[in-house]
Each structure stands twice: as C-alpha cells, then as structure tokens.
Amino acid sequence: MDIIVKRDYDEMSRCAAEHIAALIRKKPDCVIGFATGATPIGTYRELVRIYNEEGLDFSNVKTFNLDEYLGISMDLSKPYILDQSYRRFMHEELFKHININEENINIPDGLARDPEEECLKYEEKIKEAGGIDLQILGIGGNGHWAFNEPGSSFDSRTRVIKLNEQTLNDNYEAFYKKAGIPREKMPHYAITMGIGTILEAKSVLMLANGAKKAEIVAKALEGPVTTMVTASSIQIFKGKATVILDGEAASMLVKQTIK
Ligand code: PGA
C-alpha cells in the first residue's frame, strides 16, 4: 500500500486527480469507479481543469459509482441543493463539465422498481465491462467504504443496506442541513457496491482529509482488519492500493510518508 501525505486539501486533490488522469492517458477506455461525498469534490474540480487545459479525453472512459440513496434519483427540475441524489452530485461536480459519454456512466438506480434485481444487474454490468481498473474511495466517519456500514462482510456484493445513525448524522451535517431538508426526510436506505465487489477492482485510490478523519484513518490503515471498520479491508486488498491524505487526516498514523 502506498500512503502519500500532502500538505492540505488542495494538494491532496491535485495529486489524486493526477493519479486518475495518468490512468486515463495510459488506458483511454479504462473503467473508473467514482465516489461521492465532500472528500473528492476538489479532485473532480482538478480533473475538470485538466480536461479544459490539457485536453484529457474522457470519451471512452466507463464509470461505475459506488452507491446511491434508495428512493431518489436525479431530478434536473429541482435546484442542485434540493436534489441529493448521487447521480446529480456526479452530474454537477464532474460529468457535465467533461466529454464523458452518457452511455458509459453507471450509477445504481435509486428508483428501481426491484432494487434487488438492480443490484444483480449492476454486478453483471461491472463484469461485462471487464471489471473496475481504478476504484476511488473516501472513508466514512464510522470507517465505511461506500455504504458498507460496520459489520458488512468482506465478501458482500452490491445490495440494499440500511444506513446507520452515524452515517445519517454525518451526511445530514455535510449535505442535507444546508438544503433545509429535515433529518427524518433523508433516505435511510441505499444501494451500495459490496466490499467483495470493491476488492475485485484492479486498483484502489482512497482519499481522506481533515482532523476529524485522523482516528478512523489510523484504525483502517494500521489497526486490526475488521468488518467493524470496512475500510480496513484495504489491508487485504490484492491489487495496487494508493492512499492520499492531507496532513490532518494522517496525523494519527504511526508510519508517515511525506511526498
Ligand atoms: P465524506 O464521506 O467525503 O463526505 O467525508 C466519505 C464517505 O462517507 O465515504
């Protein structure tokens, strides 16, 4: 596992975007797993800059997002702040700014009539695409990867999951509160790729920033491998794992690599 510690959020984001851009230049038809949340917003902004200024070509890139809330989907008739779907997030933060082919975008459908079937179909689509070359990941305050809440098994697949209280609180504070959406109106379920699905990616790129992530980052990277911190599965990941942190998120690690 490569752990890279950058001075601040902007440097972390630039480094992460360069990592992703390098793969796209090397393999223009690569399959990238994208993540949502506050953490990767700077990375996506930087990818847009590379697209505009350096002509990075996304036209043959295929994408699979990690997760989507159950019961909602992109609704362009609403202002962005009131549309908390992850599809809308990706549209606003990245996809509408680059030359990605709409047909190459895959995000679980939160409004699927049969969510169980949607999960099976999603797994099939990943297989048909030849698997994920690079999966981007954040880490939740409770150590989750995607919405794999504590206790999710390491061989779990794409499935419907109930969000735990900490995740609901974190996402309320980070997103819903600003939109004036009451906590009880937040979706309490989601479709998420499983840890088993994520561990089949050829490489992973995990990002974390800020002091409030320091303790959970240390647990995930240096603590016991446990389903109670699903991101600790990075320690048994067989492909290439890269972690890019800012100084605050790295501050409780024993081993630190300042690059
Ligand atoms: P955040 O979420 O980027 O908003 O901190 C990370 C996550 O829950 O994976």
Side-chain angles (χ1 to χ4, degrees):
M1 187 191 332
D2 283 344
I3 302 176
I4 301 168
V5 183
K6 291 291 179 186
R7 208 177 319 268
D8 57 23
Y9 180 74
D10 288 345
E11 279 199 23
M12 177 199 81
S13 302
R14 274 196 290 275
C15 184
E18 199 37 59
H19 187 92
I20 299 163
L23 171 65
I24 299 172
R25 288 189 200 106
K26 195 167 127 200
K27 187 177 178 190
D29 61 348
C30 61
V31 181
I32 299 182
F34 281 114
T36 51
T39 310
I41 290 177
T43 303
Y44 298 158
R45 198 173 307 137
E46 185 62 15
L47 278 177
V48 172
R49 189 201 61 75
I50 298 173
Y51 165 74
N52 283 323
E53 292 177 14
E54 299 170 29
L56 184 66
D57 182 13
F58 288 83
S59 61
N60 291 309
V61 172
K62 269 211 179 99
T63 73
F64 285 90
N65 262 76
L66 284 170
D67 44 20
E68 177 62 283
Y69 289 112
L70 202 63
I72 59 175
S73 188
M74 181 160 79
D75 180 354
L76 288 169
S77 70
K78 284 186 184 167
Y80 176 28
I81 191 154
L82 294 179
D83 180 355
Q84 292 290 331
S85 69
Y86 284 164
R87 181 170 270 277
R88 182 65 175 273
F89 174 100
M90 290 308 301
H91 175 75
E92 299 289 341
E93 303 295 343
L94 183 63
F95 294 154
K96 78 173 186 187
H97 305 287
I98 58 175
N99 68 333
I100 193 125
N101 185 341
E102 190 68 31
E103 286 167 17
N104 289 341
I105 297 172
N106 297 281
I107 301 180
D109 179 3
L111 291 179
R113 215 173 304 158
D114 184 343
E116 308 293 339
E117 191 191 310
E118 173 68 11
C119 295
L120 291 174
K121 269 186 2 206
Y122 205 65
E123 288 276 337
E124 271 311 303
K125 274 198 239 164
I126 295 172
K127 261 196 209 108
E128 275 164 26
I132 293 170
D133 290 304
L134 173 64
Q135 178 62 58
I136 299 153
L137 294 151
I139 178 171
N142 62 11
H144 70 201
W145 257 3
F147 276 135
N148 290 285
E149 302 291 37
S152 299
S153 85
F154 286 172
D155 60 5
S156 52
R157 312 301 308 187
T158 303
R159 67 202 186 288
V160 174
I161 191 154
K162 188 174 193 312
L163 306 180
N164 83 2
E165 285 303 309
Q166 184 173 350
T167 297
L168 289 170
N169 287 340
D170 290 349
N171 289 1
Y172 176 68
E173 289 299 326
F175 295 100
Y176 283 81
K177 197 170 162 182
K178 288 184 200 133
I181 300 172
R183 191 181 177 287
E184 56 284 4
K185 288 249 168 78
M186 289 177 69
H188 283 47
Y189 288 83
I191 293 178
T192 184
M193 270 189 212
I195 292 294
T197 320
I198 294 168
L199 293 178
E200 280 172 9
K202 292 168 194 123
S203 62
V204 296
L205 171 62
M206 184 178 119
L207 309 176
N209 67 284
K212 68 178 197 305
K213 293 283 173 74
E215 192 177 343
I216 198 67
V217 163
K219 277 190 183 155
L221 303 186
E222 294 177 340
V225 175
T226 167
T227 57
M228 295 313 286
V229 178
T230 55
S232 69
S233 61
I234 196 169
Q235 297 182 48
I236 57 161
F237 179 64
K238 297 212 170 60
K240 172 139 181 55
T242 306
V243 181
I244 309 177
L245 307 169
D246 74 351
E248 287 183 350
S251 61
M252 291 177 78
L253 287 175
V254 175
K255 279 181 257 163
Q256 293 205 23
T257 316
I258 309 283
K259 279 194 186 164

mmCIF file of all heavy atoms in Angstrom, residues 35-40 66-67 86 137-142 144-147 167 170-171 174-175 207 209 212-213, ligand 1:
data_model
loop_
_atom_site.group_PDB
_atom_site.id
_atom_site.type_symbol
_atom_site.label_atom_id
_atom_site.label_comp_id
_atom_site.label_asym_id
_atom_site.label_seq_id
_atom_site.Cartn_x
_atom_site.Cartn_y
_atom_site.Cartn_z
ATOM 1 N N ALA A 35 -16.593 7.982 -6.529
ATOM 2 C CA ALA A 35 -17.173 8.091 -5.187
ATOM 3 C C ALA A 35 -17.815 9.467 -5.040
ATOM 4 O O ALA A 35 -17.426 10.416 -5.730
ATOM 5 C CB ALA A 35 -16.068 7.926 -4.144
ATOM 6 N N THR A 36 -18.763 9.572 -4.141
ATOM 7 C CA THR A 36 -19.378 10.876 -3.835
ATOM 8 C C THR A 36 -18.954 11.300 -2.430
ATOM 9 O O THR A 36 -18.114 10.664 -1.811
ATOM 10 C CB THR A 36 -20.909 10.768 -3.955
ATOM 11 O OG1 THR A 36 -21.323 9.653 -3.175
ATOM 12 C CG2 THR A 36 -21.342 10.572 -5.397
ATOM 13 N N GLY A 37 -19.533 12.368 -1.939
ATOM 14 C CA GLY A 37 -19.148 12.880 -0.624
ATOM 15 C C GLY A 37 -18.328 14.147 -0.775
ATOM 16 O O GLY A 37 -17.973 14.550 -1.897
ATOM 17 N N ALA A 38 -18.015 14.769 0.361
ATOM 18 C CA ALA A 38 -17.283 16.034 0.323
ATOM 19 C C ALA A 38 -15.827 15.826 -0.126
ATOM 20 O O ALA A 38 -15.245 16.680 -0.803
ATOM 21 C CB ALA A 38 -17.319 16.686 1.705
ATOM 22 N N THR A 39 -15.252 14.688 0.241
ATOM 23 C CA THR A 39 -13.817 14.466 0.015
ATOM 24 C C THR A 39 -13.379 14.614 -1.446
ATOM 25 O O THR A 39 -12.405 15.330 -1.712
ATOM 26 C CB THR A 39 -13.407 13.070 0.554
ATOM 27 O OG1 THR A 39 -13.900 12.949 1.888
ATOM 28 C CG2 THR A 39 -11.900 12.870 0.519
ATOM 29 N N PRO A 40 -14.038 13.962 -2.416
ATOM 30 C CA PRO A 40 -13.497 14.005 -3.787
ATOM 31 C C PRO A 40 -13.872 15.244 -4.606
ATOM 32 O O PRO A 40 -13.471 15.347 -5.769
ATOM 33 C CB PRO A 40 -14.076 12.739 -4.432
ATOM 34 C CG PRO A 40 -15.358 12.508 -3.714
ATOM 35 C CD PRO A 40 -15.193 13.045 -2.326
ATOM 36 N N LEU A 66 -20.066 4.103 -6.638
ATOM 37 C CA LEU A 66 -20.132 3.165 -5.517
ATOM 38 C C LEU A 66 -21.546 2.920 -5.008
ATOM 39 O O LEU A 66 -21.869 1.813 -4.591
ATOM 40 C CB LEU A 66 -19.328 3.720 -4.329
ATOM 41 C CG LEU A 66 -17.815 3.636 -4.412
ATOM 42 C CD1 LEU A 66 -17.209 4.455 -3.273
ATOM 43 C CD2 LEU A 66 -17.350 2.184 -4.326
ATOM 44 N N ASP A 67 -22.369 3.986 -5.004
ATOM 45 C CA ASP A 67 -23.641 3.836 -4.293
ATOM 46 C C ASP A 67 -24.648 4.914 -4.690
ATOM 47 O O ASP A 67 -24.309 5.870 -5.389
ATOM 48 C CB ASP A 67 -23.412 3.859 -2.770
ATOM 49 C CG ASP A 67 -22.434 4.952 -2.313
ATOM 50 O OD1 ASP A 67 -22.220 5.912 -3.081
ATOM 51 O OD2 ASP A 67 -21.894 4.855 -1.209
ATOM 52 N N TYR A 86 -26.995 10.909 -5.730
ATOM 53 C CA TYR A 86 -25.579 10.848 -6.097
ATOM 54 C C TYR A 86 -25.378 10.997 -7.606
ATOM 55 O O TYR A 86 -24.337 11.439 -8.061
ATOM 56 C CB TYR A 86 -24.956 9.565 -5.554
ATOM 57 C CG TYR A 86 -24.690 9.646 -4.055
ATOM 58 C CD1 TYR A 86 -24.442 8.509 -3.311
ATOM 59 C CD2 TYR A 86 -24.689 10.879 -3.395
ATOM 60 C CE1 TYR A 86 -24.187 8.587 -1.944
ATOM 61 C CE2 TYR A 86 -24.435 10.966 -2.032
ATOM 62 C CZ TYR A 86 -24.183 9.827 -1.311
ATOM 63 O OH TYR A 86 -23.922 9.902 0.033
ATOM 64 N N LEU A 137 -12.195 5.954 -3.518
ATOM 65 C CA LEU A 137 -12.925 5.742 -2.264
ATOM 66 C C LEU A 137 -12.645 6.858 -1.280
ATOM 67 O O LEU A 137 -11.509 7.344 -1.197
ATOM 68 C CB LEU A 137 -12.459 4.430 -1.612
ATOM 69 C CG LEU A 137 -12.792 3.150 -2.384
ATOM 70 C CD1 LEU A 137 -11.756 2.081 -2.108
ATOM 71 C CD2 LEU A 137 -14.186 2.662 -2.030
ATOM 72 N N GLY A 138 -13.664 7.241 -0.519
ATOM 73 C CA GLY A 138 -13.436 8.061 0.670
ATOM 74 C C GLY A 138 -13.424 7.115 1.855
ATOM 75 O O GLY A 138 -13.250 5.905 1.708
ATOM 76 N N ILE A 139 -13.609 7.647 3.025
ATOM 77 C CA ILE A 139 -13.819 6.799 4.205
ATOM 78 C C ILE A 139 -14.819 7.524 5.103
ATOM 79 O O ILE A 139 -14.682 8.731 5.349
ATOM 80 C CB ILE A 139 -12.494 6.476 4.941
ATOM 81 C CG1 ILE A 139 -12.754 5.631 6.208
ATOM 82 C CG2 ILE A 139 -11.702 7.734 5.280
ATOM 83 C CD1 ILE A 139 -11.487 5.082 6.859
ATOM 84 N N GLY A 140 -15.834 6.797 5.527
ATOM 85 C CA GLY A 140 -16.840 7.409 6.395
ATOM 86 C C GLY A 140 -16.310 7.584 7.808
ATOM 87 O O GLY A 140 -15.318 6.952 8.193
ATOM 88 N N GLY A 141 -16.985 8.408 8.578
ATOM 89 C CA GLY A 141 -16.604 8.617 9.978
ATOM 90 C C GLY A 141 -16.623 7.313 10.777
ATOM 91 O O GLY A 141 -15.911 7.166 11.771
ATOM 92 N N ASN A 142 -17.455 6.356 10.342
ATOM 93 C CA ASN A 142 -17.510 5.061 11.031
ATOM 94 C C ASN A 142 -16.644 4.015 10.328
ATOM 95 O O ASN A 142 -16.764 2.822 10.583
ATOM 96 C CB ASN A 142 -18.966 4.564 11.142
ATOM 97 C CG ASN A 142 -19.618 4.342 9.784
ATOM 98 O OD1 ASN A 142 -18.952 4.363 8.748
ATOM 99 N ND2 ASN A 142 -20.921 4.123 9.773
ATOM 100 N N HIS A 144 -16.636 3.318 7.087
ATOM 101 C CA HIS A 144 -17.233 2.614 5.941
ATOM 102 C C HIS A 144 -16.566 2.971 4.620
ATOM 103 O O HIS A 144 -16.037 4.067 4.445
ATOM 104 C CB HIS A 144 -18.758 2.820 5.867
ATOM 105 C CG HIS A 144 -19.227 4.189 5.489
ATOM 106 N ND1 HIS A 144 -20.493 4.642 5.794
ATOM 107 C CD2 HIS A 144 -18.630 5.210 4.838
ATOM 108 C CE1 HIS A 144 -20.642 5.864 5.331
ATOM 109 N NE2 HIS A 144 -19.523 6.237 4.753
ATOM 110 N N TRP A 145 -16.602 1.993 3.725
ATOM 111 C CA TRP A 145 -16.264 2.191 2.314
ATOM 112 C C TRP A 145 -17.580 2.093 1.564
ATOM 113 O O TRP A 145 -18.334 1.127 1.782
ATOM 114 C CB TRP A 145 -15.331 1.079 1.840
ATOM 115 C CG TRP A 145 -13.888 1.490 1.725
ATOM 116 C CD1 TRP A 145 -13.323 2.686 2.046
ATOM 117 C CD2 TRP A 145 -12.819 0.656 1.238
ATOM 118 N NE1 TRP A 145 -11.974 2.650 1.789
ATOM 119 C CE2 TRP A 145 -11.638 1.436 1.294
ATOM 120 C CE3 TRP A 145 -12.749 -0.659 0.755
ATOM 121 C CZ2 TRP A 145 -10.394 0.932 0.884
ATOM 122 C CZ3 TRP A 145 -11.526 -1.157 0.346
ATOM 123 C CH2 TRP A 145 -10.361 -0.363 0.412
ATOM 124 N N ALA A 146 -17.850 3.061 0.690
ATOM 125 C CA ALA A 146 -19.186 3.192 0.091
ATOM 126 C C ALA A 146 -20.170 3.214 1.253
ATOM 127 O O ALA A 146 -19.896 3.852 2.270
ATOM 128 C CB ALA A 146 -19.451 2.079 -0.918
ATOM 129 N N PHE A 147 -21.294 2.500 1.165
ATOM 130 C CA PHE A 147 -22.207 2.465 2.313
ATOM 131 C C PHE A 147 -22.107 1.111 3.015
ATOM 132 O O PHE A 147 -23.096 0.601 3.556
ATOM 133 C CB PHE A 147 -23.639 2.758 1.873
ATOM 134 C CG PHE A 147 -23.971 4.240 1.777
ATOM 135 C CD1 PHE A 147 -24.669 4.736 0.682
ATOM 136 C CD2 PHE A 147 -23.617 5.124 2.796
ATOM 137 C CE1 PHE A 147 -25.004 6.090 0.591
ATOM 138 C CE2 PHE A 147 -23.940 6.482 2.715
ATOM 139 C CZ PHE A 147 -24.633 6.956 1.608
ATOM 140 N N THR A 167 -23.745 7.529 10.002
ATOM 141 C CA THR A 167 -23.754 7.938 8.591
ATOM 142 C C THR A 167 -24.862 8.958 8.338
ATOM 143 O O THR A 167 -24.647 9.970 7.656
ATOM 144 C CB THR A 167 -23.930 6.696 7.686
ATOM 145 O OG1 THR A 167 -22.797 5.846 7.884
ATOM 146 C CG2 THR A 167 -24.061 7.061 6.226
ATOM 147 N N ASP A 170 -23.667 12.216 9.834
ATOM 148 C CA ASP A 170 -22.591 12.823 9.048
ATOM 149 C C ASP A 170 -23.139 13.443 7.761
ATOM 150 O O ASP A 170 -22.783 14.568 7.398
ATOM 151 C CB ASP A 170 -21.519 11.774 8.678
ATOM 152 C CG ASP A 170 -20.695 11.323 9.889
ATOM 153 O OD1 ASP A 170 -20.803 11.955 10.957
ATOM 154 O OD2 ASP A 170 -19.947 10.326 9.746
ATOM 155 N N ASN A 171 -23.986 12.696 7.067
ATOM 156 C CA ASN A 171 -24.484 13.192 5.783
ATOM 157 C C ASN A 171 -25.520 14.301 5.968
ATOM 158 O O ASN A 171 -25.652 15.180 5.126
ATOM 159 C CB ASN A 171 -25.030 12.046 4.926
ATOM 160 C CG ASN A 171 -23.909 11.160 4.423
ATOM 161 O OD1 ASN A 171 -22.735 11.396 4.735
ATOM 162 N ND2 ASN A 171 -24.230 10.145 3.653
ATOM 163 N N ALA A 174 -23.273 17.346 6.577
ATOM 164 C CA ALA A 174 -22.488 17.754 5.401
ATOM 165 C C ALA A 174 -23.350 18.223 4.236
ATOM 166 O O ALA A 174 -22.919 19.062 3.446
ATOM 167 C CB ALA A 174 -21.585 16.604 4.951
ATOM 168 N N PHE A 175 -24.561 17.678 4.104
ATOM 169 C CA PHE A 175 -25.348 17.976 2.902
ATOM 170 C C PHE A 175 -26.791 18.415 3.163
ATOM 171 O O PHE A 175 -27.216 19.460 2.700
ATOM 172 C CB PHE A 175 -25.362 16.753 1.966
ATOM 173 C CG PHE A 175 -23.997 16.416 1.422
ATOM 174 C CD1 PHE A 175 -23.237 15.397 1.984
ATOM 175 C CD2 PHE A 175 -23.447 17.130 0.362
ATOM 176 C CE1 PHE A 175 -21.965 15.097 1.495
ATOM 177 C CE2 PHE A 175 -22.186 16.846 -0.131
ATOM 178 C CZ PHE A 175 -21.441 15.819 0.440
ATOM 179 N N LEU A 207 -8.994 8.399 -0.428
ATOM 180 C CA LEU A 207 -8.698 9.786 -0.056
ATOM 181 C C LEU A 207 -9.328 10.114 1.284
ATOM 182 O O LEU A 207 -10.428 9.649 1.580
ATOM 183 C CB LEU A 207 -9.295 10.746 -1.099
ATOM 184 C CG LEU A 207 -8.974 10.489 -2.568
ATOM 185 C CD1 LEU A 207 -9.735 11.474 -3.437
ATOM 186 C CD2 LEU A 207 -7.479 10.608 -2.802
ATOM 187 N N ASN A 209 -9.340 13.623 4.218
ATOM 188 C CA ASN A 209 -8.775 14.908 4.656
ATOM 189 C C ASN A 209 -9.443 15.356 5.942
ATOM 190 O O ASN A 209 -10.559 14.937 6.258
ATOM 191 C CB ASN A 209 -8.957 15.972 3.565
ATOM 192 C CG ASN A 209 -10.418 16.322 3.341
ATOM 193 O OD1 ASN A 209 -11.154 15.557 2.719
ATOM 194 N ND2 ASN A 209 -10.841 17.462 3.853
ATOM 195 N N LYS A 212 -10.956 15.418 11.590
ATOM 196 C CA LYS A 212 -12.000 14.516 12.094
ATOM 197 C C LYS A 212 -11.898 13.101 11.486
ATOM 198 O O LYS A 212 -12.533 12.176 11.965
ATOM 199 C CB LYS A 212 -13.396 15.120 11.941
ATOM 200 C CG LYS A 212 -13.930 15.298 10.554
ATOM 201 C CD LYS A 212 -15.362 15.859 10.649
ATOM 202 C CE LYS A 212 -16.171 15.710 9.386
ATOM 203 N NZ LYS A 212 -15.574 16.278 8.182
ATOM 204 N N LYS A 213 -11.071 12.946 10.463
ATOM 205 C CA LYS A 213 -10.868 11.608 9.883
ATOM 206 C C LYS A 213 -9.606 10.928 10.436
ATOM 207 O O LYS A 213 -9.347 9.764 10.127
ATOM 208 C CB LYS A 213 -10.760 11.705 8.348
ATOM 209 C CG LYS A 213 -12.039 12.122 7.634
ATOM 210 C CD LYS A 213 -13.041 10.987 7.539
ATOM 211 C CE LYS A 213 -14.384 11.416 6.993
ATOM 212 N NZ LYS A 213 -14.401 11.678 5.566
HETATM 213 P P1 PGA B 1 -17.190 12.476 3.015
HETATM 214 O O1 PGA B 1 -17.762 10.976 3.066
HETATM 215 O O2 PGA B 1 -16.286 12.519 1.829
HETATM 216 O O3 PGA B 1 -18.386 13.350 2.849
HETATM 217 O O4 PGA B 1 -16.437 12.681 4.297
HETATM 218 C C1 PGA B 1 -16.896 9.914 2.928
HETATM 219 C C2 PGA B 1 -17.642 8.620 2.968
HETATM 220 O O5 PGA B 1 -18.691 8.532 3.637
HETATM 221 O O6 PGA B 1 -17.173 7.663 2.335
#
